[in-house]
Amino acid sequence: MDEIEIPQYFICPISLQIMIDPVTAVTGITYDRESIEQWLKTAKDTTCPVTKQLLPSDSDLTPNHMLRRLIQKWSAENMSNVMDRIPTPKSPLSKSRLLKLIREFEVPSLCLNALKKMEVLAKDNNGRDRKCMEEAGVAKAVILLLIRCYKEGRIIGLEEALKILYLIWTPSAEIKALVSENCDLIDCLTWILGRDIENPVVVKTHAMLVLKKVIEVANTRLLEKLKPEFFKEMLRVMKLKFSQQATKSALQILIEACLWGRNKSKIVEANAIFELIEYELEKPEKNITELIFNLLAHLCSCADGRAQFVRHAGSIAMVAKRILRVSPATDDQAVLILSLISKYSATKEVLLEMLRVGAVTKLCMVIQADCAAYLKVKARGVLRLHSNLWNNSPCIAVYLLTRYQR
């Protein structure tokens, strides 16, 4: 490029590079769109970089089509000297175009085609287009469309609608107001998960991804009103394993929901403890194991959860085996589970089971291992609690316990 002279008016005053998408500000100065938009977004005082005149951050930027054609013609004539031909930039997304597509959502014969067009726009989403979609109310329109489909029992267009909503979701005030206390969208997504539908893996995975976002912005009152059927559906999704993303979302939703109201009891009543242990026995990936142990620790904080946990023949052995084998996060939750069981469900049978399957030995290993100090304290507390019973067993090295006698 140094071998030829580049016309000065082809150069952006900000980036000092050849402009790809020249736009003219209200001050009359032409910049490359990406550069001036970044300037307006980050500059402390939004003034024109050249004239220093006031330039509001939401001011219009007019495409300079004549200059763009000149730059493209020049680049084509200098292909041997220029690395890349200057491409034709995409036209910025217009609000009127989005509103037209939204209106077509209301017309059954046009709805599916409008959704497909909107999906293409959502996939090409950048910062400028995202703001335009937010101002046009695309997310709200798609949410209302999904709820209508649910109430009318229609499944055509669900895949496209879910993909759009996932791609453009932003927790704006409008979206929070729409979904935070409205159970219709949660009921809709739960309904989709239970339907026989074309392309089920894609549709149901996106339903779970959207549902996770909804739960994140839902208020306490809505979370406390979640139905038992909702939790059963989350466990069914986890059990079916139709995608890693769906399984992970189901566990994250259960972890978030179990903190509110009677949800912990509802999840336990849905047979969650048994399903979680069975899933973990199949040795899932590390991030799934961490989520399972997180949820198990929450559920074992209630009496019904602990009762269901100790009824499973492999529960204590499974927890013991994972300690010091997966991650520090898993160790933390595993020791917490054993601590809860040893404090509140410590029948003689349970304590002997902990000894027999190696849980006590693992707690001793935690004290000796390179673990966090608080975890050693927690493990030591469990050992002290029942040292009289465990200390007399030949199954464990006595010196490990006698060092921590009360």
Side-chain angles (χ1 to χ4, degrees):
M1 224 181 235
D2 295 335
E3 299 174 4
I4 59 173
E5 183 178 350
I6 302 171
Q8 188 60 36
Y9 55 92
F10 287 3
I11 304 296
C12 172
I14 298 175
S15 67
L16 303 181
Q17 301 292 320
I18 297 176
M19 289 182 279
I20 295 175
D21 186 8
V23 291
T24 303
V26 292
T27 56
I29 306 299
T30 299
Y31 303 92
D32 191 46
R33 182 185 292 277
E34 183 178 354
S35 298
I36 189 61
E37 287 184 344
Q38 184 65 21
W39 171 273
L40 294 173
K41 188 187 300 182
T42 59
K44 292 181 180 178
D45 54 338
T46 52
T47 57
C48 175
V50 174
T51 66
K52 305 303 179 186
Q53 291 175 283
L54 184 64
L55 189 60
S57 58
D58 59 349
S59 63
D60 290 332
L61 299 171
T62 306
N64 193 327
H65 298 298
M66 177 64 73
L67 180 56
R68 175 171 55 78
R69 284 194 289 270
L70 288 172
I71 293 172
Q72 288 178 328
K73 182 175 183 295
W74 176 86
S75 67
E77 292 172 351
N78 292 274
M79 281 293 288
S80 58
N81 297 306
V82 180
M83 289 181 64
D84 296 304
R85 182 171 180 173
I86 304 298
T88 300
K90 291 182 180 178
S91 300
L93 193 58
S94 66
K95 189 174 179 179
S96 59
R97 183 183 179 189
L98 294 173
L99 292 173
K100 180 177 181 294
L101 290 174
I102 289 172
R103 287 194 295 271
E104 290 176 0
F105 290 172
E106 308 286 340
V107 184
S109 59
L110 302 176
C111 182
L112 182 58
N113 191 44
L115 283 168
K116 288 180 177 178
K117 289 179 180 177
M118 189 71 82
E119 183 187 349
V120 172
L121 297 174
K123 284 179 178 176
D124 292 338
N125 203 347
N126 54 44
R128 183 175 67 252
D129 292 348
R130 182 183 294 273
K131 184 178 178 183
C132 187
M133 285 186 163
E134 187 176 334
E135 290 174 351
V138 174
K140 180 180 179 180
V142 174
I143 289 171
L144 295 175
L145 173 62
L146 283 168
I147 293 173
R148 281 202 307 276
C149 288
Y150 159 58
K151 292 183 175 179
E152 296 169 8
R154 291 192 288 119
I155 60 174
I156 296 174
L158 288 179
E159 179 179 344
E160 292 77 10
L162 289 167
K163 286 181 179 178
I164 293 166
L165 191 54
Y166 174 67
L167 289 167
I168 68 171
W169 180 278
T170 52
S172 63
E174 182 183 40
I175 294 300
K176 287 181 179 179
L178 182 62
V179 306
S180 63
E181 295 189 37
N182 187 347
C183 63
D184 285 344
L185 182 57
I186 291 177
D187 290 344
C188 166
L189 295 168
T190 309
W191 168 75
I192 292 170
L193 292 169
R195 288 295 303 262
D196 289 329
I197 201 165
E198 189 177 347
N199 203 5
V201 173
V202 172
V203 175
K204 295 185 179 185
T205 296
H206 277 86
M208 287 301 301
L209 293 170
V210 171
L211 183 55
K212 177 176 172 289
K213 292 180 179 293
V214 172
I215 294 296
E216 287 172 351
V217 301
N219 67 19
T220 305
R221 289 188 296 276
L222 181 59
L223 293 174
E224 288 176 345
K225 291 191 293 184
L226 291 172
K227 302 169 186 174
E229 292 74 22
F230 172 83
F231 299 113
K232 289 177 183 177
E233 192 60 44
M234 293 303 98
L235 291 169
R236 194 179 75 88
V237 167
M238 182 192 77
K239 191 174 178 180
L240 289 174
K241 304 178 189 174
F242 52 76
S243 78
Q244 182 84 350
Q245 285 178 304
T247 298
K248 186 176 178 181
S249 295
L251 289 166
Q252 290 169 329
I253 288 168
L254 290 170
I255 290 167
E256 178 66 26
C258 79
L259 303 174
W260 306 103
R262 289 193 62 256
N263 289 344
K264 207 172 288 184
S265 296
K266 294 176 190 175
I267 296 170
V268 171
E269 288 165 8
N271 205 29
I273 299 277
F274 181 87
E275 297 294 351
L276 290 166
I277 294 169
E278 289 296 309
Y279 195 105
E280 181 56 36
L281 287 172
E282 296 177 15
K283 298 180 180 178
E285 293 185 9
K286 172 184 166 182
N287 61 344
I288 298 297
T289 291
E290 290 176 344
L291 291 171
I292 287 174
F293 271 70
N294 190 337
L295 183 53
L296 281 173
H298 281 298
L299 299 180
C300 284
S301 66
C302 69
D304 290 344
R306 291 190 297 275
Q308 196 175 107
F309 181 86
V310 298
R311 279 201 299 270
H312 192 291
S315 58
I316 296 174
M318 180 274 290
V319 170
K321 192 169 183 179
R322 296 297 184 270
I323 294 176
L324 301 178
R325 287 192 173 190
V326 181
S327 69
T330 304
D331 295 341
D332 191 3
Q333 300 302 325
V335 172
L336 176 58
I337 292 167
L338 294 179
S339 175
L340 291 167
I341 297 300
S342 67
K343 282 182 182 178
Y344 305 111
S345 303
T347 63
K348 186 174 181 181
E349 291 76 14
V350 169
L351 295 176
L352 290 175
E353 176 75 3
M354 289 178 69
L355 189 63
R356 186 178 66 81
V357 301
V360 177
T361 302
K362 273 296 182 74
L363 290 170
C364 293
M365 291 173 66
V366 167
I367 295 172
Q368 302 297 313
D370 183 19
C371 296
Y374 76 90
L375 198 58
K376 293 174 184 281
V377 171
K378 196 183 295 183
R380 187 177 298 136
V382 178
L383 293 172
R384 283 175 170 172
L385 197 59
H386 302 291
S387 60
N388 290 336
L389 175 63
W390 292 332
N391 200 27
N392 296 325
S393 171
C395 300
I396 177 173
V398 176
Y399 78 92
L400 288 176
L401 283 177
T402 55
R403 294 172 61 188
Y404 306 106
Q405 288 284 350
R406 284 174 290 185

